[in-house]
């Protein structure tokens, strides 16, 4: 079973695909570079030269070889000459190409025709018209050639984009016959290597296509070189054979010349003898002379034929020498092309290794990123679990806050009535205090009047005053003693009338009976029972119903209030 890679149809299809990809790259690169350049292009512009080389390869693909005296000849000028029959506008450039004096070969005429068609901005139109006439192209191309398949129509469609390019060529001074049509892949490889990483797969595919095309072209060139070498060997053999035949012909010519000289001598001798001899001998000698003349004519005709054949052989030899020189030149060009293609193939291999290394590094980066992604997912799951726990705690705290607000409302409802009753008791006690103060003032005025009415008892005034003071103090203390004994929750507003009363109280602690005036210690007033206590007996502070801030209370009031708060409902 034969391998598919050795099938000619497969090879031709692969070549068509590679040539179409190269045409796409060259046309795209030419349009982009021309738009960036922003001026009229000339024949020295490298992307434009590469475009013509690619077009030449496309037109040569699958071209039938015409047999001539010098061998097989492949030229794409024949199909291009047909365009003027299909499109009348192409007759102008065809006539211009034929009138150019410097063009000697059909290849040079075809190259000039492509340049003039591009200058005319109708290359796409001409190619479409030519491709649509498959019956005319079948005379020049094989059935599976690029111009006969759909790849040719695709390339003709791509050529429409070149109508935006302005080009100007000078054909007279340019040597189009001897140009070497080798594709320079380095331009497209640089473009592929300098593009972004997001297009990496397409670039690798294009580079692999270029590599396959280079390999196919290399094999094709090797086969062409082998064929040319066989032709050279055959020509050398035919040349040696012709030289041998030429030597034989020269020898024959020399012998014929000698025979002709001998015949001339014999004829001259016969003529002289005829003049001297009788008539009978003359008649016999005349017959011999006529026969000799006839033989001489035959020999002369034979000599002329040999000379013509010699001239033909000499012209053939000259043509063969010219063909040998052209073949040697073609072989040298093919060898140079092979060297350049091998160098490009080495560049492709280096680029392939570099891309493989980059691919490995990118794979490692992807693995690291996947590991990092898995770690981040684990952390995300952990954070989600933590967030759920925090939400549960938040709901519990919200329920606790709601229960605390409910307890606070219940507490306010329970103690609201008690606070109101205590405020009423405080108001009642305040009224009682005012009444007692009025009675005390009246008693003082009465005693002053009594003292004024009895002047003889002036010496006894201090004693009753002290007794009155003690009585007033006792009366002031009396309403507070029941409060000290019961230690109920009270709220006494402090106003300006309390200050003189407190200033008249003794600076003595009601618990430890320590005299503050004698020991110079600070005496504090309990904000609950309004009693006087030292620092040791009034160290605690509690919030009272009459004030928001904590107030100083005595130790007995503190214990009593704490018991009340602990027994009250929460």
């Amino acid at each position: 079973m034969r391998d598919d890679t050795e099938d000619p149809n497969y090879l031709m299809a692969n070549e068509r695909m590679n040539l179409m990809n190269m045409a796409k790259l060259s046309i795209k690169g030419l349009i982009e570079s021309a738009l960036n350049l922003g001026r009229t292009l000339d024949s020295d512009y490298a992307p434009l030269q590469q475009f013509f080389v690619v077009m030449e390869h496309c037109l040569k693909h699958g071209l039938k070889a015409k047999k001539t005296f010098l061998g097989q000849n492949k030229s794409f000028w024949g199909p291009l000459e047909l365009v003027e029959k299909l499109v009348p506008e192409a007759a102008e450039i065809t006539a211009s190409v034929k009138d150019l004096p410097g063009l000697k070969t059909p290849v040079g005429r075809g190259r000039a025709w492509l340049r003039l068609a591009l200058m005319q901005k109708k290359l796409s139109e001409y190619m479409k018209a030519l491709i649509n006439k498959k019956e005319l192209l079948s005379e020049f191309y094989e059935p599976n050639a690029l111009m006969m398949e759909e790849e040719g129509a695709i390339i003709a469609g791509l050529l429409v984009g070149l109508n935006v390019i302005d080009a100007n060529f000078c054909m007279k001074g340019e040597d189009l016959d001897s140009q070497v049509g080798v594709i320079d892949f380095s331009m497209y490889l640089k473009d592929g290597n300098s593009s972004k990483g997001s297009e990496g797969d397409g670039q690798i595919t294009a580079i692999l296509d270029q590599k396959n095309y280079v390999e196919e072209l290399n094999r094709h060139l090797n086969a062409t070189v082998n064929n040319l070498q066989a032709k050279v060997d055959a020509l050398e053999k035919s040349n040696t054979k012709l030289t041998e035949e030429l030597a034989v012909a020269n020898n024959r010519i020399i012998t014929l010349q000698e025979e002709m000289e001998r015949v001339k001598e014999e004829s001259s001798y016969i003529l002289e003898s005829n003049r001297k001899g009788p008539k009978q001998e003359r008649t016999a000698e005349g017959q011999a002379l006529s026969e000799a003349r006839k033989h001489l004519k035959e020999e002369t005709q034979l000599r002329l034929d040999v000379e013509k054949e010699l001239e033909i052989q000499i012209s053939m030899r000259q043509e063969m020498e010219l063909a040998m020189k052209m073949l040697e030149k073609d072989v040298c060009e093919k060898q140079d092309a092979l060297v350049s293609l091998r160098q490009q193939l080495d560049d492709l291999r280096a680029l392939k290794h570099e891309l493989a290394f980059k691919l490995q590094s990118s794979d490692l980066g992807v693995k690291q990123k996947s590991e990092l992604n898995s770690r981040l997912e684990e952390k995300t799951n952990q954070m989600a679990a933590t967030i759920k726990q925090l939400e549960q705690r938040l709901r519990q705290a919200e329920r606790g806050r709601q229960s605390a607000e409910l307890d606070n409302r219940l507490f306010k409802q329970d103690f609201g009535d008690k606070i109101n009753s205590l405020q009423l008791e405080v108001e009642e006690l305040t009224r009682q205090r005012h009444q007692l103060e009025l009675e005390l003032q009246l008693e003082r005025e009465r005693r002053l009047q009594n003292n004024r009415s009895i002047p003889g008892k002036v010496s006894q005034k201090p004693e009753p005053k002290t007794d009155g003071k003690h009585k007033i103090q006792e009366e002031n203390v009396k309403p507070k003693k029941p409060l000290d004994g019961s230690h109920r929750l009270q709220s006494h507003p402090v106003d300006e009338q309390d200050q003189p009363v407190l200033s008249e109280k003794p600076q003595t602690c009601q618990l430890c009976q320590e005299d503050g005036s004698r020991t110079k210690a600070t005496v504090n007033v309990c904000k609950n029972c309004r009693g006087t206590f030292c620092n040791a007996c009034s160290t605690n502070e509690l919030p009272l119903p009459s004030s928001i801030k904590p107030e100083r209370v005595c130790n007995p009031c503190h214990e009593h209030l704490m018991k009340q708060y602990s027994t009250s409902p929460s």
Side-chain angles (χ1 to χ4, degrees):
M1 185 174 180
R2 194 173 65 177
D3 191 3
D4 291 338
T5 57
E6 297 178 359
D7 188 7
N9 294 327
Y10 173 78
L11 295 176
M12 294 289 284
N14 196 7
E15 289 177 1
R16 288 199 306 270
M17 185 61 66
N18 291 331
L19 285 173
M20 187 183 69
N21 291 330
M22 288 305 304
K24 286 181 181 178
L25 288 174
S26 62
I27 292 171
K28 180 181 177 183
L30 178 60
I31 293 172
E32 290 179 354
S33 60
L35 293 177
N36 293 330
L37 189 63
R39 64 176 178 84
T40 303
L41 306 181
D42 52 11
S43 58
D44 295 332
Y45 193 55
L48 193 58
Q49 293 177 356
Q50 287 300 309
F51 165 72
F52 286 126
V53 172
V54 173
M55 285 301 300
E56 184 177 342
H57 280 79
C58 292
L59 290 171
K60 282 183 178 179
H61 183 263
L63 196 65
K64 290 182 180 179
K66 291 185 177 181
K67 294 183 179 180
T68 60
F69 178 74
L70 298 177
Q72 294 180 350
N73 183 19
K74 290 184 179 181
S75 175
F76 59 91
W77 169 240
L80 296 180
E81 277 186 303
L82 296 175
V83 179
E84 64 178 347
K85 298 179 181 178
L86 303 175
V87 183
E89 297 175 358
E92 182 181 355
I93 61 173
T94 305
S96 300
V97 169
K98 291 178 180 179
D99 293 338
L100 287 174
L103 300 178
K104 298 178 182 179
T105 61
V107 176
R109 296 189 187 95
R111 292 169 177 170
W113 190 92
L114 288 175
R115 283 159 174 77
L116 291 176
L118 183 64
M119 288 174 61
Q120 207 176 17
K121 293 186 178 181
K122 292 186 178 181
L123 181 59
S124 175
E125 181 181 352
Y126 296 156
M127 295 302 292
K128 285 181 180 178
L130 186 62
I131 288 171
N132 290 333
K133 297 293 183 180
K134 298 291 178 62
E135 63 275 8
L136 296 177
L137 289 177
S138 61
E139 182 183 353
F140 299 95
Y141 289 100
E142 299 290 341
N144 53 0
L146 185 139
M147 296 293 289
M148 301 292 289
E149 297 291 340
E150 61 179 357
E151 287 84 359
I154 293 172
I155 293 174
L158 293 173
L159 293 174
V160 178
L162 297 179
N163 294 335
V164 300
I165 296 175
D166 295 326
N168 189 12
F169 305 105
C170 181
M171 300 295 179
K172 293 183 179 180
E174 191 171 1
D175 186 12
L176 298 176
D177 293 326
S178 60
Q179 288 183 359
V180 181
V182 179
I183 301 174
D184 185 11
F185 295 100
S186 60
M187 299 173 60
Y188 313 111
L189 294 178
K190 288 178 183 176
D191 293 338
N193 195 16
S194 61
S195 59
K196 297 182 180 179
S198 61
E199 301 175 355
D201 296 336
Q203 294 169 358
I204 291 171
T205 305
I207 289 169
L208 291 175
D209 292 339
Q210 294 171 7
K211 176 179 174 295
N212 294 330
Y213 177 69
V214 169
E215 290 176 352
E216 292 293 332
L217 187 60
N218 193 9
R219 286 196 291 270
H220 182 68
L221 288 174
N222 287 328
T224 306
V225 169
N226 293 329
N227 293 331
L228 290 174
Q229 190 66 35
K231 290 180 181 180
V232 168
D233 295 337
L235 288 172
E236 286 178 353
K237 290 179 181 179
S238 63
N239 191 14
T240 54
K241 188 182 293 184
L242 288 173
T243 52
E244 291 176 357
E245 291 179 356
L246 183 62
V248 171
N250 289 329
N251 293 329
R252 189 175 179 183
I253 288 169
I254 292 169
T255 55
L256 288 173
Q257 287 177 353
E258 291 176 354
E259 288 179 358
M260 188 175 66
E261 292 293 333
R262 184 173 56 79
V263 168
K264 284 181 179 180
E265 290 177 356
E266 289 178 355
S267 63
S268 61
Y269 176 74
I270 290 169
L271 288 173
E272 289 177 357
S273 62
N274 286 333
R275 289 173 186 175
K276 295 178 181 180
K279 292 182 178 179
Q280 292 179 356
E281 292 178 357
R282 286 181 181 176
T283 55
E285 290 175 357
Q287 291 177 358
L289 181 60
S290 62
E291 290 178 359
R293 285 177 180 175
K294 186 177 180 181
H295 184 67
L296 180 60
K297 287 180 181 180
E298 291 177 357
E299 293 292 335
T300 305
Q301 187 66 33
L302 182 61
R303 180 183 175 184
L304 292 174
D305 294 337
V306 170
E307 286 178 354
K308 288 181 181 179
E309 187 177 356
L310 181 61
E311 290 177 357
I312 292 171
Q313 294 291 337
I314 291 170
S315 62
M316 288 177 63
R317 181 179 179 182
Q318 290 177 354
E319 290 179 358
M320 289 184 68
E321 289 177 354
L322 180 61
M324 286 292 294
K325 289 180 181 179
M326 292 178 67
L327 284 174
E328 288 177 356
K329 185 178 179 181
D330 194 9
V331 168
C332 293
E333 292 176 356
K334 296 294 184 182
Q335 288 177 353
D336 295 336
L338 277 175
V339 171
S340 63
L341 286 173
R342 284 171 184 169
Q343 186 176 0
Q344 292 177 9
L345 186 60
D346 294 335
D347 295 338
L348 280 172
R349 287 173 180 169
L351 183 61
K352 182 180 178 182
H353 290 306
E354 185 179 355
L355 289 173
F357 178 73
K358 288 183 179 179
L359 184 62
Q360 291 177 357
S361 61
S362 63
D363 290 337
L364 292 174
V366 168
K367 288 181 180 178
Q368 292 177 358
K369 287 181 180 179
S370 61
E371 292 177 356
L372 182 60
N373 193 10
S374 61
R375 293 177 185 174
L376 289 174
E377 287 179 354
E378 291 178 358
K379 289 184 179 179
T380 304
N381 296 330
Q382 294 176 0
M383 291 177 69
T386 307
I387 289 170
K388 289 181 180 179
Q389 293 177 1
L390 291 174
E391 288 177 352
Q392 292 177 358
R393 292 181 182 178
L394 180 62
R395 287 193 290 270
Q396 293 177 359
E398 188 68 23
R399 288 195 292 271
R401 185 180 66 81
Q402 292 175 359
S403 62
E405 289 178 354
L406 181 61
D407 294 340
N408 189 13
R409 286 195 297 269
L410 294 173
F411 177 77
K412 287 181 180 179
Q413 291 176 1
D414 293 338
F415 285 92
D417 298 335
K418 293 182 180 179
I419 290 170
N420 292 330
S421 62
L422 289 172
Q423 286 179 354
L424 293 174
E425 290 180 2
V426 168
E427 290 175 0
E428 183 66 26
L429 291 172
T430 304
R431 284 196 297 272
Q432 291 179 4
R433 190 185 69 179
H434 286 307
Q435 290 176 1
L436 291 172
E437 286 177 354
L438 290 173
E439 291 177 359
L440 178 62
Q441 191 174 3
L442 292 173
E443 183 66 23
R444 284 179 181 175
E445 289 176 357
R446 186 178 60 77
R447 287 188 180 183
L448 287 174
Q449 289 176 2
N450 291 331
N451 290 332
R452 288 174 185 172
S453 61
I454 305 172
K457 297 180 182 181
V458 177
S459 60
Q460 297 178 357
K461 283 181 183 179
E463 186 176 353
K465 284 182 182 179
T466 56
D467 295 335
K469 287 181 180 180
H470 286 296
K471 288 179 181 179
I472 291 168
Q473 291 175 357
E474 288 175 359
E475 288 175 358
N476 289 332
V477 171
K478 280 179 182 179
K480 295 178 182 179
K481 280 185 179 180
L483 294 173
D484 295 337
S486 63
H487 290 286
R488 291 185 303 174
L489 183 63
Q490 296 177 356
S491 174
H492 298 282
V494 180
D495 52 5
E496 293 178 357
Q497 294 178 359
D498 294 338
Q499 298 300 327
V501 177
L502 293 174
S503 62
E504 293 177 0
K505 289 182 181 181
Q507 301 294 324
T508 304
C509 180
Q510 294 181 6
L511 289 179
C512 61
Q513 301 299 325
E514 182 181 357
D515 190 0
S517 61
R518 186 174 68 247
T519 60
K520 296 182 180 180
T522 304
V523 178
N524 300 315
V525 178
C526 178
K527 298 298 182 179
N528 186 38
C529 64
R530 312 302 295 178
T532 55
F533 301 94
C534 64
N535 285 333
C537 297
S538 61
T539 58
N540 298 308
E541 291 182 354
L542 280 177
L544 299 176
S546 61
S547 64
I548 299 173
K549 295 181 180 180
E551 300 291 347
R552 186 183 292 274
V553 294
C554 60
N555 293 339
C557 290
H558 179 263
E559 293 178 359
H560 181 70
L561 291 172
M562 289 301 292
K563 288 179 181 179
Q564 269 191 338
Y565 290 157
S566 61
T567 55
S568 65
S570 57

